[in-house]
Amino acid sequence: MIKASSVNPTYGGQSTLQTIVLIASMFLGYTMIYIDKLSISISLVPMSKDLGITPSQKGMIMSAFFLGYAIMQVPMGFLNTKIGSKKIITASIFILGIFAALFSFGTSVIYFVLIRFLSGALAHSGYTQSCSKEVQANVPVSQRTFANGILLSSSGIASILGPIFVSPAVQNLGYKQTYIILTVIALAIGLILITVIPSPRKDETISHDKKVMHQVSLSKILSNKLVWLLLICDFFVNSVMYGVINWAPSFLTSDEVGFTLTQQGKMTSAAGAFFLIGALGGSYIVGKFFADKERDVITFFAILGSVALFSAFQVPHGGAINMVPMTICFAIGDLSYAFAFTTLLSLPLKRFKPEAFAPSYACVAMGGISGGFIAPYSIGFLVEKTGGYASVFTSFLVVGLLFAVAIRFVPKHYTPIEATPVMTEAEELMQQEL
């Protein structure tokens, strides 16, 4: 875990308590980000019935978000380098709240597509990379996997809280009132982030920006083979994860399966709890015991998770008796993908140099977001054309196995980003224990 040492001058001069508070506040923002992503899939269930939204149109609404997200990833990376991560983080949460409120006034598919596109482009695209930049600046390399895992585990928290609170709220209050409530929560979190995140000294920022302008260019970043390999891996893992997140409520409440919105909420909440366990436990275990063996961890859990998700569809549909085995399959899938996902996103923190981190991470994230854009729409297309979900779960298996193969091409050995001391994560852990 994040170890106590009163002040660590190498990473921003912050005390351990300040670092913990920083991670906790960014965790709140991360949770809000994921709840916003999750709430749309829940809201679209009653919205599709009330407004006559077809499966393809549902896919368009969900994919529009990721299209905006993908388009603005790299520009946000350079903007992050220019104005600093604090401004991006706080602005992202406030803008998220504004678009959540605007979404509540919608009555047409075009309007929903536009609002979700802008939310992805302006509210979501800069948050995760800015938080990762804060982690890199304030947490030692040996603790970054766990720190980043804490932030990513917010997806598990959102997967638990979302179905438990958002599903009943949408069912009892309606999606319009639900989004107003989400707006209030987002604005409150934004105020917390403004207070907690430290502002860099002006002279340090100016000096750093001048250095970056000379060293960082998009062509240089795109010539880095590692950026492309991680981009491809992130595309595969997010295609499966967002495919499941966005379409699980529709699948579980479809005529083919027959669960109620409340029942699916319980099932996805249980699976989300396992994602939380995988993100927190996995990041700690991998950082502590499998340092520099991330490729093997990702390969194993990508295969296990893909097989588990495919098995979920093989469980007989309908009836309370089938809730348990189907939930177990989804839970194993979520747990496995949490291990794989958090481990994958720890690699940029260790392998990208600080001066090129934000735009490099943005390029990698663009791969993941592209997966999030393609998956919802393609799933909607498959469901509409085939009239069922068999092909959808087969695609989860195939894409997951491609992820397991792609990660093997990422180099096992690398040059540590810290110049002094020059050591791998495993060597730093050994030194700490000595």
Side-chain angles (χ1 to χ4, degrees):
M1 61 177 57
I2 299 176
K3 297 191 176 182
S5 103
S6 59
V7 175
N8 189 342
T10 305
Y11 298 98
Q14 290 210 121
S15 69
T16 300
L17 178 60
Q18 289 174 318
T19 301
I20 292 173
V21 172
L22 172 65
I23 297 296
S25 65
M26 293 192 300
F27 177 87
L28 285 176
Y30 248 103
T31 303
M32 190 66 236
I33 287 285
Y34 279 116
I35 286 180
D36 183 62
K37 291 179 182 178
L38 179 68
S39 62
I40 185 65
S41 62
I42 298 172
S43 300
L44 280 173
V45 174
M47 286 170 61
S48 61
K49 297 177 182 178
D50 297 341
L51 302 175
I53 299 174
T54 67
S56 292
Q57 290 173 332
K58 286 167 69 175
M60 287 175 57
I61 294 170
M62 291 186 281
S63 291
F65 167 85
F66 289 100
L67 177 62
Y69 203 157
I71 289 174
M72 288 301 294
Q73 268 298 293
V74 174
M76 279 292 182
F78 283 99
L79 184 63
N80 191 317
T81 299
K82 183 67 177 177
I83 69 174
S85 54
K86 177 177 181 176
K87 293 179 181 178
I88 299 293
I89 289 172
T90 53
S92 295
I93 297 299
F94 282 120
I95 295 172
L96 183 154
I98 292 171
F99 281 117
L102 292 174
F103 189 85
S104 68
F105 296 107
T107 56
S108 69
V109 172
I110 296 299
Y111 180 88
F112 293 135
V113 167
L114 177 62
I115 293 299
R116 291 306 292 170
F117 173 84
L118 293 174
S119 181
L122 303 178
H124 287 251
S125 61
Y127 188 85
T128 56
Q129 58 180 282
S130 298
C131 287
S132 295
K133 186 178 178 182
E134 288 290 332
V135 169
Q136 190 185 54
N138 294 286
V139 180
V141 64
S142 63
Q143 299 171 22
R144 288 176 192 168
T145 299
F146 183 59
N148 202 53
I150 291 174
L151 296 179
L152 295 177
S153 70
S154 58
S155 176
I157 293 290
S159 297
I160 297 171
L161 297 180
I164 289 177
F165 294 106
V166 177
S167 293
V170 169
Q171 189 167 335
N172 298 321
L173 301 176
Y175 75 90
K176 294 179 181 290
Q177 290 81 357
T178 300
Y179 272 92
I180 293 298
I181 294 172
L182 293 178
T183 296
V184 174
I185 296 173
L187 297 179
I189 293 174
L191 292 175
I192 293 173
L193 288 168
I194 288 178
T195 304
V196 170
I197 299 177
S199 299
R201 286 168 46 192
K202 187 173 182 180
D203 57 341
E204 290 179 351
T205 303
I206 295 173
S207 175
H208 178 263
D209 287 343
K210 288 181 178 179
K211 180 181 178 182
V212 168
M213 291 298 291
H214 289 292
Q215 294 186 358
V216 179
S217 67
L218 183 59
S219 60
K220 183 176 180 180
I221 290 168
L222 294 180
S223 66
N224 186 347
K225 180 182 177 182
L226 179 61
V227 168
W228 287 101
L229 289 171
L230 293 179
L231 181 153
I232 292 169
C233 290
D234 206 23
F235 171 82
F236 287 140
V237 69
N238 276 278
S239 294
V240 176
M241 288 176 57
Y242 282 112
V244 174
I245 289 172
N246 284 312
W247 280 96
S250 295
F251 164 68
L252 294 172
T253 57
S254 65
D255 294 336
E256 184 177 357
V257 181
F259 294 120
T260 66
L261 193 62
T262 301
Q263 286 175 321
Q264 76 81 25
K266 293 178 180 178
M267 295 172 71
T268 52
S269 290
F274 278 82
F275 189 96
L276 174 62
I277 294 170
L280 281 175
S283 59
Y284 178 75
I285 292 171
V286 172
K288 184 72 173 177
F289 302 107
F290 294 93
D292 304 325
K293 296 180 181 178
E294 293 89 352
R295 296 190 319 160
D296 299 330
V297 173
I298 294 171
T299 301
F300 174 79
F301 283 106
I303 295 173
L304 177 61
S306 303
V307 172
L309 291 175
F310 181 73
S311 300
F313 184 78
Q314 311 309 315
V315 175
H317 298 165
I321 193 172
N322 295 319
M323 285 182 64
V324 174
M326 189 175 287
T327 301
I328 290 173
C329 290
F330 274 112
I332 295 173
D334 276 18
L335 177 73
S336 300
Y337 268 91
F339 263 86
F341 181 58
T342 54
T343 304
L344 175 69
L345 291 192
S346 72
L347 297 180
L349 300 173
K350 305 169 189 176
R351 302 196 182 196
F352 291 154
K353 295 183 181 298
E355 62 269 16
F357 177 81
S360 298
Y361 188 91
C363 288
V364 173
M366 188 171 66
I369 296 158
S370 299
F373 163 69
I374 293 173
Y377 182 77
S378 60
I379 290 174
F381 177 81
L382 287 173
V383 172
E384 194 165 282
K385 293 300 180 182
T386 64
Y389 287 83
S391 58
V392 174
F393 282 84
T394 301
S395 71
F396 291 158
L397 177 63
V398 172
V399 174
L401 294 179
L402 288 174
F403 173 40
V405 172
I407 194 63
R408 306 308 301 176
F409 289 90
V410 173
K412 180 177 181 180
H413 302 289
Y414 64 97
T415 303
I417 59 176
E418 268 76 14
T420 306
V422 179
M423 60 177 67
T424 65
E425 183 183 12
E427 291 169 336
E428 184 175 340
L429 285 169
M430 290 177 63
Q431 178 174 322
Q432 287 181 354
E433 292 182 358
L434 292 173

